[in-house]
Each structure stands twice: as structure tokens, then as C-alpha cells.
Amino acid sequence: MELEEALKLFNRVADAFSDEEGVSPSLGEFLEIAGSSEPTNSAFSFPLAFKVKIAGNRLYKANPSERVSGLNDNTFNEATELLAFLIEHANSDSDQPASPADAAGHLLQVLRAAKFSFSDIGSENVVDLTVKVSKRFAKAKRGDVVAIPAAEHGYHLAVVLSDDQTGLALGLLKGVFSAPRVGRVDQHLARHIPVYTGDGLIKNGTWRVVGHNEVLLDLFPDPPELYWGAVTAFGDRFGDYGAAGVVGEPKRLIGKAEAEAVGLLNNTYRQTYVDEYFQKVLNEGRFDNGPLPGTFR
């Protein structure tokens, strides 16, 4: 590995952080940034969670910090360049694609050589760096933020609103994001009324839980509603245009404009989507033009 070039890239990450925050990052903050900065040449999934041993064979424990979530994209872009460089050189070292362990090993070399003073520890005191591997199926809970791969590049983000017998209710956030991270909460807007789907793609790692922020729940109705047509398959009647509500609870009748906006009048509304199909139509733009939460209430 060209260590001198890697050190330059590392310093650019640290400088970008300190330029924005006015102080150096902690080791934990740096690793959180690095673990969230997925380059396009990676054959494995991000985010990465690191396990760190420091001098004296002690485990490093990061102090809680909210600064990373408030950073703009510049620091993450610099970290992506660093990770891309490390993975490129890890790939050249073998005829197999670089693994998370390879990336961690190269990053350890950089930290040891940098002799950088993080706000809580010197980088030369890091003696081992590995990637934590989860042996459990991922399960999302209310307030978790899920990253869904976009068609070309980047990610859609959605906050988990509920997970019950109806399915997994997601609140889609507006936009496509270059990195799978929440970032500043105040930058986010709702894209569409809540959508129900399954959690299979979370369990197999295709959709990844990349954060947790319950403030985002305020962008969507609680509880997330479903819609029923004016006449259901079971013969129930809901006014002239249909109803909204939750299973087992009283429904509210809706007007023509709301029924048309959600797709009841042209039969395009679905109460729930199979997760693979949901990702397909999400990438086709099905949910890009609303309706937005609160439009009709």
C-alpha cells in the first residue's frame, strides 16, 4: 500500500471534521464516519462496526457523541475516498475481492503510522482493529432508519413507523442519498404517506438499519394508516369513496380527492407490498409524487 498517499487521505478526513466542528474527532467518531462511508469499489456491505484494542490489550469504548450525525457531506466524502483507496490496494494484494477484515487491516496500518492525536487517544495506541460480525438476523424497531439501495447509486432512506401483524410500516424520506446515514435530522422531509411492506430484505442484509432517530417519526401519522375502498371484498361499505385507519379500529371516511390521491379510484393502491416488489417500484418512482402525510387531515 502507498502509505504516504493513504496518510494524506486520512488527514483530509480529520481536517474536514475539525473545520466543521472546531476540534479533532475522537477515535470513535472517526471510525463511525469511516464505517458509514461506502465506496463504489466495495464488494461488501456497509455500515461497518469496528472492534478496537488499544495499548495494554484493552478494549476501546467510544464515548457517546451526536456530532457525527450533524456533519455535512464533506467529511463523509473524504472518508469515502480514503476507504476506496484502501479497498483498491487490498484488492490488488489478492485475486479475491477485499473483505471487511482486509479493509480494517489496511486502516489499522494508517492509524498506526499517522500518529494522530484524536480528542481522546493517540492513533499510535491502536493495536488491533477488526470488524464486528453479527450472528443474529437484523430486526428493525420503531424509529430505526433503513437504507434501501437505489437503482443506479445511493440509497433511499425510510424510518420504521411500526412492525405488527399488518407488516412493516415505513415512512419514506425525500431524496436519494449518496451515503447510508441519517445525517442532519432537520434536512429530512416526508416523501409519501406510510407504506407497508415485509422485513425479509432487512433480515438478509439487503436493507440495512443505519441509524435510529425518533424525531423523524413526527413527519408521519401515528399510527400509520391503511386505506379501504368504498366497497371491500367482504362487502363492507365505507361511504362513497372509502376509508382510512388501522386494522381493528374505527375508520374515518375519506373524500374523493384523498381517494384519488392514494390510488383507490384507479385501483393502484396496495395495502402492503412484498419487499422485493416494493424496492422495484420505489426505484421506478412510484412514491415520488406523494401524497404527503397530513395533506387531507
Side-chain angles (χ1 to χ4, degrees):
M1 180 175 65
E2 299 174 17
L3 190 55
E4 184 176 350
E5 180 63 25
L7 289 172
K8 289 180 182 178
L9 294 171
F10 167 81
N11 286 327
R12 284 166 53 179
V13 180
D15 289 345
F17 183 98
S18 59
D19 286 347
E20 184 169 353
E21 293 296 327
V23 294
S24 296
S26 67
L27 173 60
E29 288 171 328
F30 170 76
L31 292 176
E32 182 179 350
I33 293 165
S36 301
S37 302
E38 181 174 6
T40 57
N41 64 344
S42 172
F44 51 85
S45 296
F46 279 63
L48 304 177
F50 294 99
K51 179 179 179 181
V52 186
K53 284 188 178 181
I54 56 177
N57 202 34
R58 294 175 295 149
L59 283 176
Y60 170 81
K61 185 176 181 180
N63 292 321
S65 171
E66 297 181 354
R67 294 189 295 194
V68 173
S69 64
L71 291 172
N72 61 37
D73 286 343
N74 187 42
T75 303
F76 290 91
N77 291 339
E78 298 291 2
T80 300
E81 292 295 322
L82 171 61
L83 268 294
F85 181 84
L86 299 180
I87 290 172
E88 178 185 350
H89 283 269
N91 285 335
S92 67
D93 292 342
S94 170
D95 57 359
Q96 298 294 323
S99 67
D102 295 326
H106 281 68
L107 185 55
L108 175 60
Q109 291 182 49
V110 175
L111 291 173
R112 296 280 295 168
K115 297 182 179 179
F116 178 80
S117 295
F118 290 108
S119 63
D120 56 350
I121 192 172
S123 66
E124 68 276 10
N125 291 306
V126 178
V127 297
D128 192 36
L129 183 67
T130 55
V131 174
K132 296 179 182 178
V133 178
S134 174
K135 297 181 180 179
R136 300 173 58 191
F137 286 125
K139 182 173 177 60
K141 60 182 180 298
R142 177 175 162 85
D144 281 350
V145 178
V146 177
I148 302 170
E152 298 296 330
H153 57 81
Y155 301 88
H156 307 282
L157 296 181
V159 60
V160 175
L161 306 176
S162 65
D163 188 6
D164 54 28
Q165 71 273 15
T166 307
L168 183 75
L170 296 178
L172 290 166
L173 302 178
K174 187 175 181 179
V176 176
F177 301 85
S178 59
R181 65 183 185 89
V182 180
R184 296 177 61 92
V185 174
D186 58 6
Q187 76 175 329
H188 291 297
L189 299 172
R191 181 192 294 196
H192 195 273
I193 58 174
V195 181
Y196 279 86
T197 184
D199 63 357
L201 294 183
I202 293 177
K203 290 180 177 178
N204 72 15
T206 302
W207 299 353
R208 287 170 284 148
V209 176
V210 296
H212 182 90
N213 198 306
E214 297 187 6
V215 173
L216 295 172
L217 297 173
D218 295 337
L219 296 173
F220 301 92
D222 182 21
E225 292 182 322
L226 292 167
Y227 285 87
W228 287 263
V231 180
T232 72
F234 300 102
D236 298 314
R237 181 85 193 187
F238 293 115
D240 293 327
Y241 298 106
V246 297
V247 175
E249 299 290 336
K251 313 297 187 290
R252 64 177 180 86
L253 298 181
I254 62 174
K256 182 178 180 180
E258 186 170 2
E260 184 174 27
V262 302
L264 286 177
L265 298 190
N266 62 5
N267 294 316
T268 59
Y269 174 75
R270 290 173 176 247
Q271 285 193 330
T272 186
Y273 290 80
V274 174
D275 39 11
E276 291 89 350
Y277 183 68
F278 169 72
Q279 180 172 321
K280 176 180 181 292
V281 296
L282 172 61
N283 281 320
E284 291 173 349
R286 170 75 60 88
F287 307 105
D288 287 353
N289 298 311
L292 299 176
T295 302
F296 300 97
R297 297 197 68 178

